[in-house]
Amino acid sequence: MLVDSPPEERAAAAAAPPTRRGVRAAGLLLSAAILLLVALASIAIGAKELSLAQVWHGLFQDSGTYGDVVVGERLSRTLLGLLAGAALGLAGAVLQALTRNPLADPGILGINAGASAAVVTAITFFGVTSLRGYVWFAFLGAAAVGALVWFLGGSRGATPVRLALAGTAIGAALYGYVQAVMITDDAALGRMRFWTVGSLASATNETIVQVLPFCVVGTVLALLLARPLNAMSMGDDTARALGAHLNRTRALAMLAATVLCGAATAACGPIVFVGLMVPHVVRSFTGPDLRWILPYSTVLSPVLLLGSDVIGRIVARPGEVQVGVVTALIGGPVFILLVRRRRTTQL
């Protein structure tokens, strides 16, 4: 034992470098601290600047001006950004593992397209005008497309390639439908204009309450799938030898991704690149182990989303650039770099 070892051995053990697991755990704590700072910045920065002291008073002491700004407006926006960012990043990581494609994102299965098609249908044919109605239609649309992709992808015989092809085909068809309806219906075009871009500006406590249960269930389910998805990454035969249930794991992974992406898209609109970039970047320093990729993606994706939202408020004062536009502007060049890096690696 260590206590019975000579002083030289005890000193060497004390000076030994930390294990890789310890480094990853420390990195996860650091990521959580960064997320906290970005969340505070999201509350403090806006058309009216607030100091950290004013944010504290607004959250815990003052029910006047600061309380109205912090609690009434920015806190809801920040909380929705935390939920949506975590959901999109986690959904992206699960789908990349499910399709065995590190450049996959939640849009690859047509889930965003399903939510958009359901919202434009609700506006045009059912006269829905409130965000409260959008949320439920969008979520139902995402869920319906997720089930359809699973069925067309082969159900119990589904493979990563079949799922990706089915999702891409359905997504293209639904986006064509959305564009056709919006062109022929001015009312739908006006109401869908901000939702389709992706925004946190219309966040309310009611919206958070509506999507929170779905985000919690989807997060728990996704994290529980880390081990079987790890086994599946080594190939179907190896996964079976390790005791993984392939069909059950794929079905549950589809369910988790659909619930997470559907909830985020319903509340904020289709925000792109978050589910693509963050899991891919995380994989570069955690390795392929999903037991670390999933938690890191859950923590760092809101950093990207809230950070983009803050940037959008700064660059266009006193107005703002919608967060979906900022993530697209950031994500486009990053996506090109990822593709070039992947091509170079393969060569």
Side-chain angles (χ1 to χ4, degrees), residues 20-21 24 93 97 223 225-231 233 279 282-297:
R20 188 169 184 179
R21 182 172 182 176
R24 287 171 173 172
L223 294 176
L225 290 173
R227 288 182 182 275
L229 285 174
N230 269 342
S233 68
V282 165
R283 193 179 294 106
S284 67
F285 59 83
T286 64
D289 191 347
L290 286 161
R291 292 175 298 176
W292 291 103
I293 293 175
L294 297 183
Y296 266 101
S297 297

Side-chain angles (χ1 to χ4, degrees), residues 251-315:
L252 291 176
M254 276 285 299
L255 177 62
T258 300
V259 170
L260 289 168
C261 187
T265 304
C268 308
I271 297 175
V272 297
F273 286 115
V274 175
L276 166 66
M277 286 191 294
V278 176
H280 194 87
V281 171
V282 165
R283 193 179 294 106
S284 67
F285 59 83
T286 64
D289 191 347
L290 286 161
R291 292 175 298 176
W292 291 103
I293 293 175
L294 297 183
Y296 266 101
S297 297
T298 304
V299 174
L300 290 178
S301 295
V303 172
L304 173 61
L305 187 61
L306 288 176
S308 298
D309 191 43
V310 171
I311 292 172
R313 289 183 242 171
I314 292 174
V315 298

Side-chain angles (χ1 to χ4, degrees), residues 98-116:
L98 178 65
T99 60
R100 298 176 194 165
N101 181 1
L103 298 180
D105 74 335
I108 197 171
L109 295 184
I111 296 172
N112 288 346
S116 299

Side-chain angles (χ1 to χ4, degrees), residues 155-232:
S155 188
R156 290 185 176 275
T159 64
V161 174
R162 287 181 180 178
L163 292 174
L165 289 175
T168 301
I170 293 172
L174 290 177
Y175 275 128
Y177 164 76
V178 169
Q179 295 301 319
V181 173
M182 290 175 63
I183 289 173
T184 58
D185 188 336
D186 292 337
L189 177 61
R191 292 169 188 163
M192 287 282 291
R193 189 159 53 100
F194 291 106
W195 188 87
T196 53
V197 169
S199 174
L200 299 175
S202 57
T204 64
N205 291 334
E206 185 179 18
T207 304
I208 294 170
V209 171
Q210 287 176 332
V211 301
L212 179 60
F214 298 105
C215 291
V216 172
V217 171
T219 299
V220 172
L221 179 58
L223 294 176
L224 290 175
L225 290 173
R227 288 182 182 275
L229 285 174
N230 269 342
M232 288 176 57

